[in-house]
């Protein structure tokens, strides 16, 4: 018996669309899984002479954030456990941001031969580096999730549904900034050392371990003009450390879009030039 309104052609067309969509997505998923596996092997090899191995990544993050939360808790605006989650969520994303900027000064200069040897395009090389960052970010993120489950499980709510768009935003931002920074260091070699020095200043100028408790003063100015502040807030909102703010998401999305456009134009007009760098 055929159900009323059933149209075989409609069902067939829908199946064809889904099959076509899967065929177009599958190569990217396969490549991502392959890159993640390579990232795991590379990271594992870096710690092969230690007892803890790859666990040193989350362990060092836990030690450093614990120290920051203990030393720099200067007010009673947040209880100790909440302040620790505030610092931990900020520092986990800061590591990702820091590597996206400071770790991108010599990707093309140092790893172009690796890309050619592994049959990677210029864009593929930066995607591979992005997956490396996301892999380490995921390891540190597991520390944050476990800490939240232990200290404040109520933080997990509908806000966690924003994690996919948050991950998309920081991935696009990381990829864009990474290429722009590397291109600048190719054109102006001294900017590499300048960038690494500036990252030390940016760490203290970003609300990684300090709170903006008033709507005036230097800290408020830094939190307002520093783009990193908005992405730190996004991470904290996703994990319930800070209340959701539509304005923060709009600003973060606008910064990401502007960076992506600049990086796209830069890549279009410079890819032929940088490919010939030896």
């Amino acid at each position: 018996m055929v159900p009323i309104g059933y149209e075989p052609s409609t069902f067939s067309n829908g199946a064809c669309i889904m099959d076509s969509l899967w065929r177009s997505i599958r190569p990217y998923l396969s490549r991502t899984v392959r890159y993640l596996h390579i990232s795991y092997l590379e990271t594992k090899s870096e710690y092969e002479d230690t007892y803890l191995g790859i666990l040193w990544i989350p362990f060092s993050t836990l030690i450093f954030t614990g120290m920051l939360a203990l030393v720099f808790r200067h007010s009673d605006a947040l209880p100790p456990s909440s302040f620790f989650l505030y610092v931990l969520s900020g520092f986990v994303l800061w590591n990702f941001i820091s590597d996206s900027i400071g770790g991108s000064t010599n990707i093309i200069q140092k790893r172009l031969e690796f890309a050619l040897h592994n049959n990677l395009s210029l864009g593929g090389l930066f995607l591979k580096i992005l997956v490396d960052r996301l892999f380490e970010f995921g390891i540190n993120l597991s520390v944050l999730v476990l800490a939240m489950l232990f200290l404040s499980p109520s933080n997990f709510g509908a806000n966690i549904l924003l994690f996919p768009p948050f991950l998309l935003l920081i991935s696009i931002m990381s990829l864009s900034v990474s290429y722009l920074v590397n291109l600048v260091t190719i054109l102006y070699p001294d900017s590499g050392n300048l960038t690494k020095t500036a990252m030390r200043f940016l760490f203290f100028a970003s609300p990684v371990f300090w709170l903006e408790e008033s709507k005036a003063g230097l800290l408020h100015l830094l939190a307002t003009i520093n783009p990193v502040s908005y992405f730190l807030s996004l991470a904290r909102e996703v994990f319930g450390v800070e209340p959701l703010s539509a304005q923060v998401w709009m600003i973060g999305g606008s910064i990401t879009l502007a960076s992506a456009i600049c990086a796209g134009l830069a890549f279009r007009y410079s890819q032929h030039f940088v490919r010939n760098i030896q």
Side-chain angles (χ1 to χ4, degrees):
M1 180 177 180
V2 179
I4 297 176
Y6 173 76
E7 296 182 9
S9 60
T10 302
F11 178 81
S12 177
N13 290 337
C16 289
I17 293 175
M18 292 300 295
D19 182 66
S20 176
L21 181 62
W22 169 247
R23 289 178 181 273
S24 61
I25 294 176
R26 183 178 178 181
Y28 296 101
L29 292 177
S30 177
R31 181 179 299 178
T32 301
V33 171
R34 181 167 64 90
Y35 285 169
L36 283 172
H37 181 65
I38 295 174
S39 297
Y40 166 73
L41 294 177
E42 290 177 344
T43 306
K44 184 180 178 181
S45 67
E46 293 178 11
Y47 296 90
E48 62 182 358
D49 294 330
T50 64
Y51 289 109
L52 289 179
I54 201 172
L55 291 178
W56 266 113
I57 295 176
F59 187 60
S60 60
T61 296
L62 193 61
I63 292 175
F64 190 69
T65 52
M67 181 196 68
L68 287 176
L70 181 65
V71 174
F72 291 100
R73 184 174 180 266
H74 52 80
S75 72
D76 295 324
L78 291 176
S81 60
S82 296
F83 185 69
F84 172 69
L85 292 178
Y86 177 90
V87 174
L88 180 59
S89 58
F91 186 72
V92 166
L93 183 61
W94 167 258
N95 277 338
F96 181 80
I97 294 173
S98 177
D99 194 29
S100 299
I101 302 175
S104 298
T105 57
N106 56 9
I107 292 176
I108 296 173
Q109 299 94 313
K110 295 290 183 65
R111 306 198 64 173
L112 187 59
E113 185 176 345
F114 164 84
L116 296 175
H117 179 73
N118 290 275
N119 198 27
L120 290 176
S121 63
L122 182 62
L125 173 61
F126 278 86
L127 285 173
K128 166 63 174 61
I129 302 298
L130 172 62
V131 172
D132 290 343
R133 293 191 199 109
L134 290 173
F135 178 75
E136 184 169 340
F137 176 67
I139 294 177
N140 284 324
L141 204 61
S142 64
V143 177
L144 175 59
V145 172
L146 290 175
M148 286 177 55
L149 288 173
F150 181 73
L151 297 175
S152 184
S154 60
N155 281 14
F156 289 102
N159 47 287
I160 203 68
L161 297 176
L162 291 172
F163 181 75
F166 163 72
L167 187 62
L168 179 63
L169 282 179
I170 64 172
S171 297
I172 295 174
M173 189 66 182
S174 175
L175 194 63
S176 303
V177 171
S178 181
Y179 186 79
L180 290 173
V181 168
N182 204 170
L183 183 60
V184 170
T185 58
I186 290 174
L187 299 175
Y188 307 99
D190 287 343
S191 62
N193 291 326
L194 182 62
T195 299
K196 293 177 180 178
T197 302
M199 292 307 299
R200 301 190 187 101
F201 168 78
L202 190 59
F203 174 72
F204 291 98
S206 303
V208 177
F209 58 88
W210 50 263
L211 291 166
E212 179 199 355
E213 297 183 276
S214 65
K215 297 300 180 182
L218 178 61
L219 294 184
H220 175 70
L221 177 64
L222 290 175
T224 302
I225 66 175
N226 185 354
V228 174
S229 302
Y230 298 98
F231 290 93
L232 293 177
S233 291
L234 290 181
R236 288 165 175 151
E237 290 177 17
V238 167
F239 292 99
V241 179
E242 290 183 355
L244 293 176
S245 170
Q247 181 181 11
V248 170
W249 283 86
M250 290 177 62
I251 295 175
S254 299
I255 295 173
T256 303
L257 179 60
S259 299
I261 292 174
C262 292
L265 292 173
F267 181 80
R268 179 180 178 182
Y269 292 108
S270 65
Q271 57 177 317
H272 299 295
F273 160 68
V274 298
R275 280 174 181 163
N276 295 323
I277 295 178
Q278 297 295 332

